[in-house]
PDB file of all heavy atoms in Angstrom:
ATOM      1  N   LYS A 788      98.080 101.095 -67.985  1.00 84.00           N
ATOM      2  CA  LYS A 788      98.054 100.883 -69.450  1.00 84.00           C
ATOM      3  C   LYS A 788      98.432  99.465 -69.916  1.00 84.00           C
ATOM      4  O   LYS A 788      97.686  98.888 -70.696  1.00 84.00           O
ATOM      5  CB  LYS A 788      99.019 101.910 -70.075  1.00 84.00           C
ATOM      6  CG  LYS A 788      98.396 103.222 -70.347  1.00 84.00           C
ATOM      7  CD  LYS A 788      97.162 103.180 -71.261  1.00 84.00           C
ATOM      8  CE  LYS A 788      97.563 102.816 -72.676  1.00 84.00           C
ATOM      9  NZ  LYS A 788      96.376 102.785 -73.594  1.00 84.00           N
ATOM     10  N   PRO A 789      99.531  98.901 -69.494  1.00 80.00           N
ATOM     11  CA  PRO A 789      99.877  97.578 -70.015  1.00 80.00           C
ATOM     12  C   PRO A 789      98.931  96.480 -69.491  1.00 80.00           C
ATOM     13  O   PRO A 789      98.628  95.524 -70.233  1.00 80.00           O
ATOM     14  CB  PRO A 789     101.306  97.308 -69.506  1.00 80.00           C
ATOM     15  CG  PRO A 789     101.403  98.119 -68.266  1.00 80.00           C
ATOM     16  CD  PRO A 789     100.588  99.334 -68.507  1.00 80.00           C
ATOM     17  N   ASN A 790      98.399  96.675 -68.305  1.00 86.00           N
ATOM     18  CA  ASN A 790      97.647  95.568 -67.689  1.00 86.00           C
ATOM     19  C   ASN A 790      96.237  95.510 -68.153  1.00 86.00           C
ATOM     20  O   ASN A 790      95.655  94.391 -68.215  1.00 86.00           O
ATOM     21  CB  ASN A 790      97.751  95.773 -66.148  1.00 86.00           C
ATOM     22  CG  ASN A 790      99.153  95.556 -65.686  1.00 86.00           C
ATOM     23  OD1 ASN A 790      99.832  94.555 -65.907  1.00 86.00           O
ATOM     24  ND2 ASN A 790      99.714  96.522 -64.982  1.00 86.00           N
ATOM     25  N   VAL A 791      95.614  96.627 -68.493  1.00 87.00           N
ATOM     26  CA  VAL A 791      94.272  96.565 -69.022  1.00 87.00           C
ATOM     27  C   VAL A 791      94.278  95.805 -70.340  1.00 87.00           C
ATOM     28  O   VAL A 791      93.308  95.015 -70.658  1.00 87.00           O
ATOM     29  CB  VAL A 791      93.605  97.960 -69.099  1.00 87.00           C
ATOM     30  CG1 VAL A 791      94.271  98.792 -70.218  1.00 87.00           C
ATOM     31  CG2 VAL A 791      92.113  97.878 -69.340  1.00 87.00           C
ATOM     32  N   SER A 792      95.292  95.987 -71.169  1.00 81.00           N
ATOM     33  CA  SER A 792      95.374  95.298 -72.449  1.00 81.00           C
ATOM     34  C   SER A 792      95.643  93.771 -72.243  1.00 81.00           C
ATOM     35  O   SER A 792      95.129  92.954 -72.998  1.00 81.00           O
ATOM     36  CB  SER A 792      96.489  95.865 -73.295  1.00 81.00           C
ATOM     37  OG  SER A 792      96.237  97.254 -73.554  1.00 81.00           O
ATOM     38  N   VAL A 793      96.445  93.479 -71.240  1.00 82.00           N
ATOM     39  CA  VAL A 793      96.701  92.025 -70.950  1.00 82.00           C
ATOM     40  C   VAL A 793      95.412  91.354 -70.557  1.00 82.00           C
ATOM     41  O   VAL A 793      95.149  90.215 -70.955  1.00 82.00           O
ATOM     42  CB  VAL A 793      97.767  91.907 -69.858  1.00 82.00           C
ATOM     43  CG1 VAL A 793      97.833  90.475 -69.349  1.00 82.00           C
ATOM     44  CG2 VAL A 793      99.132  92.323 -70.399  1.00 82.00           C
ATOM     45  N   ILE A 794      94.558  92.038 -69.745  1.00 85.00           N
ATOM     46  CA  ILE A 794      93.328  91.397 -69.313  1.00 85.00           C
ATOM     47  C   ILE A 794      92.442  91.161 -70.538  1.00 85.00           C
ATOM     48  O   ILE A 794      91.750  90.116 -70.635  1.00 85.00           O
ATOM     49  CB  ILE A 794      92.541  92.301 -68.302  1.00 85.00           C
ATOM     50  CG1 ILE A 794      93.403  92.478 -67.044  1.00 85.00           C
ATOM     51  CG2 ILE A 794      91.247  91.663 -67.914  1.00 85.00           C
ATOM     52  CD1 ILE A 794      92.858  93.467 -66.034  1.00 85.00           C
ATOM     53  N   VAL A 795      92.434  92.084 -71.506  1.00 83.00           N
ATOM     54  CA  VAL A 795      91.643  91.878 -72.721  1.00 83.00           C
ATOM     55  C   VAL A 795      92.100  90.569 -73.424  1.00 83.00           C
ATOM     56  O   VAL A 795      91.294  89.740 -73.809  1.00 83.00           O
ATOM     57  CB  VAL A 795      91.796  93.067 -73.681  1.00 83.00           C
ATOM     58  CG1 VAL A 795      91.150  92.756 -75.027  1.00 83.00           C
ATOM     59  CG2 VAL A 795      91.132  94.317 -73.063  1.00 83.00           C
ATOM     60  N   GLY A 796      93.449  90.446 -73.516  1.00 78.00           N
ATOM     61  CA  GLY A 796      93.957  89.247 -74.174  1.00 78.00           C
ATOM     62  C   GLY A 796      93.572  87.952 -73.482  1.00 78.00           C
ATOM     63  O   GLY A 796      93.275  86.934 -74.049  1.00 78.00           O
ATOM     64  N   GLN A 797      93.534  88.000 -72.128  1.00 79.00           N
ATOM     65  CA  GLN A 797      93.212  86.782 -71.348  1.00 79.00           C
ATOM     66  C   GLN A 797      91.757  86.429 -71.412  1.00 79.00           C
ATOM     67  O   GLN A 797      91.381  85.309 -71.028  1.00 79.00           O
ATOM     68  CB  GLN A 797      93.654  86.986 -69.886  1.00 79.00           C
ATOM     69  CG  GLN A 797      95.146  87.006 -69.727  1.00 79.00           C
ATOM     70  CD  GLN A 797      95.557  87.158 -68.246  1.00 79.00           C
ATOM     71  OE1 GLN A 797      94.765  87.017 -67.392  1.00 79.00           O
ATOM     72  NE2 GLN A 797      96.878  87.365 -68.067  1.00 79.00           N
ATOM     73  N   LEU A 798      90.907  87.337 -71.859  1.00 80.00           N
ATOM     74  CA  LEU A 798      89.481  86.993 -72.056  1.00 80.00           C
ATOM     75  C   LEU A 798      89.280  86.100 -73.314  1.00 80.00           C
ATOM     76  O   LEU A 798      88.203  85.590 -73.498  1.00 80.00           O
ATOM     77  CB  LEU A 798      88.644  88.224 -72.205  1.00 80.00           C
ATOM     78  CG  LEU A 798      88.520  89.179 -70.984  1.00 80.00           C
ATOM     79  CD1 LEU A 798      87.764  90.460 -71.342  1.00 80.00           C
ATOM     80  CD2 LEU A 798      87.750  88.449 -69.841  1.00 80.00           C
ATOM     81  N   TYR A 799      90.314  85.914 -74.083  1.00 77.00           N
ATOM     82  CA  TYR A 799      90.246  85.124 -75.342  1.00 77.00           C
ATOM     83  C   TYR A 799      91.287  84.047 -75.350  1.00 77.00           C
ATOM     84  O   TYR A 799      92.243  84.070 -76.162  1.00 77.00           O
ATOM     85  CB  TYR A 799      90.490  86.042 -76.584  1.00 77.00           C
ATOM     86  CG  TYR A 799      89.431  87.151 -76.707  1.00 77.00           C
ATOM     87  CD1 TYR A 799      89.606  88.360 -76.128  1.00 77.00           C
ATOM     88  CD2 TYR A 799      88.239  86.939 -77.438  1.00 77.00           C
ATOM     89  CE1 TYR A 799      88.692  89.379 -76.236  1.00 77.00           C
ATOM     90  CE2 TYR A 799      87.318  87.925 -77.562  1.00 77.00           C
ATOM     91  CZ  TYR A 799      87.531  89.168 -76.979  1.00 77.00           C
ATOM     92  OH  TYR A 799      86.616  90.152 -77.117  1.00 77.00           O
ATOM     93  N   PRO A 800      91.178  83.057 -74.485  1.00 69.00           N
ATOM     94  CA  PRO A 800      92.182  82.046 -74.412  1.00 69.00           C
ATOM     95  C   PRO A 800      92.273  81.216 -75.727  1.00 69.00           C
ATOM     96  O   PRO A 800      93.258  80.528 -75.984  1.00 69.00           O
ATOM     97  CB  PRO A 800      91.697  81.121 -73.220  1.00 69.00           C
ATOM     98  CG  PRO A 800      90.262  81.397 -73.106  1.00 69.00           C
ATOM     99  CD  PRO A 800      90.099  82.822 -73.526  1.00 69.00           C
ATOM    100  N   GLU A 801      91.181  81.248 -76.531  1.00 65.00           N
ATOM    101  CA  GLU A 801      91.209  80.438 -77.756  1.00 65.00           C
ATOM    102  C   GLU A 801      91.929  81.123 -78.875  1.00 65.00           C
ATOM    103  O   GLU A 801      92.265  80.554 -79.887  1.00 65.00           O
ATOM    104  CB  GLU A 801      89.744  80.198 -78.218  1.00 65.00           C
ATOM    105  CG  GLU A 801      88.994  81.358 -78.847  1.00 65.00           C
ATOM    106  CD  GLU A 801      88.501  82.429 -77.858  1.00 65.00           C
ATOM    107  OE1 GLU A 801      88.725  82.271 -76.624  1.00 65.00           O
ATOM    108  OE2 GLU A 801      87.931  83.431 -78.302  1.00 65.00           O
ATOM    109  N   GLY A 802      92.209  82.479 -78.764  1.00 62.00           N
ATOM    110  CA  GLY A 802      92.909  83.208 -79.791  1.00 62.00           C
ATOM    111  C   GLY A 802      92.079  83.418 -81.017  1.00 62.00           C
ATOM    112  O   GLY A 802      90.835  83.441 -80.918  1.00 62.00           O
ATOM    113  N   GLY A 803      92.672  83.445 -82.190  1.00 61.00           N
ATOM    114  CA  GLY A 803      91.951  83.546 -83.450  1.00 61.00           C
ATOM    115  C   GLY A 803      91.559  84.952 -83.807  1.00 61.00           C
ATOM    116  O   GLY A 803      91.878  85.936 -83.158  1.00 61.00           O
ATOM    117  N   ALA A 804      90.797  85.018 -84.985  1.00 63.00           N
ATOM    118  CA  ALA A 804      90.368  86.309 -85.529  1.00 63.00           C
ATOM    119  C   ALA A 804      89.449  87.069 -84.597  1.00 63.00           C
ATOM    120  O   ALA A 804      89.446  88.276 -84.592  1.00 63.00           O
ATOM    121  CB  ALA A 804      89.689  86.069 -86.864  1.00 63.00           C
ATOM    122  N   ARG A 805      88.662  86.309 -83.745  1.00 67.00           N
ATOM    123  CA  ARG A 805      87.742  86.983 -82.870  1.00 67.00           C
ATOM    124  C   ARG A 805      88.470  87.814 -81.829  1.00 67.00           C
ATOM    125  O   ARG A 805      88.035  88.848 -81.368  1.00 67.00           O
ATOM    126  CB  ARG A 805      86.861  85.953 -82.161  1.00 67.00           C
ATOM    127  CG  ARG A 805      85.609  86.529 -81.434  1.00 67.00           C
ATOM    128  CD  ARG A 805      84.641  85.459 -80.995  1.00 67.00           C
ATOM    129  NE  ARG A 805      85.260  84.689 -79.886  1.00 67.00           N
ATOM    130  CZ  ARG A 805      84.991  84.986 -78.594  1.00 67.00           C
ATOM    131  NH1 ARG A 805      84.195  85.954 -78.275  1.00 67.00           N
ATOM    132  NH2 ARG A 805      85.539  84.252 -77.638  1.00 67.00           N
ATOM    133  N   ARG A 806      89.676  87.366 -81.474  1.00 72.00           N
ATOM    134  CA  ARG A 806      90.516  88.076 -80.548  1.00 72.00           C
ATOM    135  C   ARG A 806      90.941  89.408 -81.167  1.00 72.00           C
ATOM    136  O   ARG A 806      90.908  90.442 -80.519  1.00 72.00           O
ATOM    137  CB  ARG A 806      91.751  87.257 -80.183  1.00 72.00           C
ATOM    138  CG  ARG A 806      92.760  87.886 -79.254  1.00 72.00           C
ATOM    139  CD  ARG A 806      93.939  86.939 -79.115  1.00 72.00           C
ATOM    140  NE  ARG A 806      94.996  87.502 -78.375  1.00 72.00           N
ATOM    141  CZ  ARG A 806      95.486  86.893 -77.270  1.00 72.00           C
ATOM    142  NH1 ARG A 806      94.997  85.782 -76.838  1.00 72.00           N
ATOM    143  NH2 ARG A 806      96.498  87.487 -76.648  1.00 72.00           N
ATOM    144  N   ASP A 807      91.317  89.363 -82.446  1.00 69.00           N
ATOM    145  CA  ASP A 807      91.696  90.619 -83.163  1.00 69.00           C
ATOM    146  C   ASP A 807      90.507  91.516 -83.213  1.00 69.00           C
ATOM    147  O   ASP A 807      90.651  92.774 -83.041  1.00 69.00           O
ATOM    148  CB  ASP A 807      92.200  90.312 -84.572  1.00 69.00           C
ATOM    149  CG  ASP A 807      93.597  89.714 -84.592  1.00 69.00           C
ATOM    150  OD1 ASP A 807      94.259  89.687 -83.518  1.00 69.00           O
ATOM    151  OD2 ASP A 807      94.106  89.367 -85.693  1.00 69.00           O
ATOM    152  N   ALA A 808      89.334  90.998 -83.512  1.00 74.00           N
ATOM    153  CA  ALA A 808      88.106  91.855 -83.533  1.00 74.00           C
ATOM    154  C   ALA A 808      87.857  92.421 -82.176  1.00 74.00           C
ATOM    155  O   ALA A 808      87.478  93.593 -82.069  1.00 74.00           O
ATOM    156  CB  ALA A 808      86.942  90.983 -84.005  1.00 74.00           C
ATOM    157  N   GLY A 809      88.071  91.662 -81.087  1.00 77.00           N
ATOM    158  CA  GLY A 809      87.907  92.164 -79.749  1.00 77.00           C
ATOM    159  C   GLY A 809      88.831  93.330 -79.452  1.00 77.00           C
ATOM    160  O   GLY A 809      88.403  94.286 -78.825  1.00 77.00           O
ATOM    161  N   PHE A 810      90.097  93.181 -79.881  1.00 76.00           N
ATOM    162  CA  PHE A 810      91.044  94.270 -79.636  1.00 76.00           C
ATOM    163  C   PHE A 810      90.667  95.518 -80.451  1.00 76.00           C
ATOM    164  O   PHE A 810      90.853  96.636 -80.020  1.00 76.00           O
ATOM    165  CB  PHE A 810      92.448  93.868 -80.024  1.00 76.00           C
ATOM    166  CG  PHE A 810      93.220  93.272 -78.816  1.00 76.00           C
ATOM    167  CD1 PHE A 810      93.313  91.939 -78.652  1.00 76.00           C
ATOM    168  CD2 PHE A 810      93.788  94.148 -77.938  1.00 76.00           C
ATOM    169  CE1 PHE A 810      94.037  91.453 -77.540  1.00 76.00           C
ATOM    170  CE2 PHE A 810      94.516  93.647 -76.815  1.00 76.00           C
ATOM    171  CZ  PHE A 810      94.643  92.275 -76.651  1.00 76.00           C
ATOM    172  N   SER A 811      90.045  95.316 -81.671  1.00 74.00           N
ATOM    173  CA  SER A 811      89.600  96.490 -82.429  1.00 74.00           C
ATOM    174  C   SER A 811      88.447  97.196 -81.719  1.00 74.00           C
ATOM    175  O   SER A 811      88.378  98.445 -81.687  1.00 74.00           O
ATOM    176  CB  SER A 811      89.155  96.032 -83.813  1.00 74.00           C
ATOM    177  OG  SER A 811      90.238  95.587 -84.582  1.00 74.00           O
ATOM    178  N   ILE A 812      87.526  96.434 -81.122  1.00 80.00           N
ATOM    179  CA  ILE A 812      86.461  97.033 -80.352  1.00 80.00           C
ATOM    180  C   ILE A 812      87.038  97.788 -79.118  1.00 80.00           C
ATOM    181  O   ILE A 812      86.675  98.924 -78.856  1.00 80.00           O
ATOM    182  CB  ILE A 812      85.463  95.979 -79.840  1.00 80.00           C
ATOM    183  CG1 ILE A 812      84.702  95.352 -81.038  1.00 80.00           C
ATOM    184  CG2 ILE A 812      84.441  96.547 -78.856  1.00 80.00           C
ATOM    185  CD1 ILE A 812      83.884  94.150 -80.697  1.00 80.00           C
ATOM    186  N   PHE A 813      87.936  97.157 -78.413  1.00 82.00           N
ATOM    187  CA  PHE A 813      88.647  97.779 -77.302  1.00 82.00           C
ATOM    188  C   PHE A 813      89.333  99.034 -77.726  1.00 82.00           C
ATOM    189  O   PHE A 813      89.262 100.088 -77.074  1.00 82.00           O
ATOM    190  CB  PHE A 813      89.661  96.778 -76.728  1.00 82.00           C
ATOM    191  CG  PHE A 813      90.517  97.316 -75.619  1.00 82.00           C
ATOM    192  CD1 PHE A 813      89.978  97.620 -74.341  1.00 82.00           C
ATOM    193  CD2 PHE A 813      91.866  97.519 -75.826  1.00 82.00           C
ATOM    194  CE1 PHE A 813      90.801  98.141 -73.357  1.00 82.00           C
ATOM    195  CE2 PHE A 813      92.667  98.001 -74.824  1.00 82.00           C
ATOM    196  CZ  PHE A 813      92.141  98.305 -73.583  1.00 82.00           C
TER     197      PHE A 813
END
């Protein structure tokens, strides 16, 4: 559980709103 979410975050090194959108898709 914690590690699959961490990998999602690491796919977006630039951060920003697109990262939040990516987490919403996830």
Side-chain angles (χ1 to χ4, degrees):
K788 276 299 292 180
N790 294 305
V791 70
S792 299
V793 168
I794 300 172
V795 173
Q797 290 184 10
L798 292 174
Y799 299 89
E801 76 283 0
R805 194 169 71 94
R806 179 186 176 123
D807 283 357
F810 267 100
S811 291
I812 294 171
F813 174 70

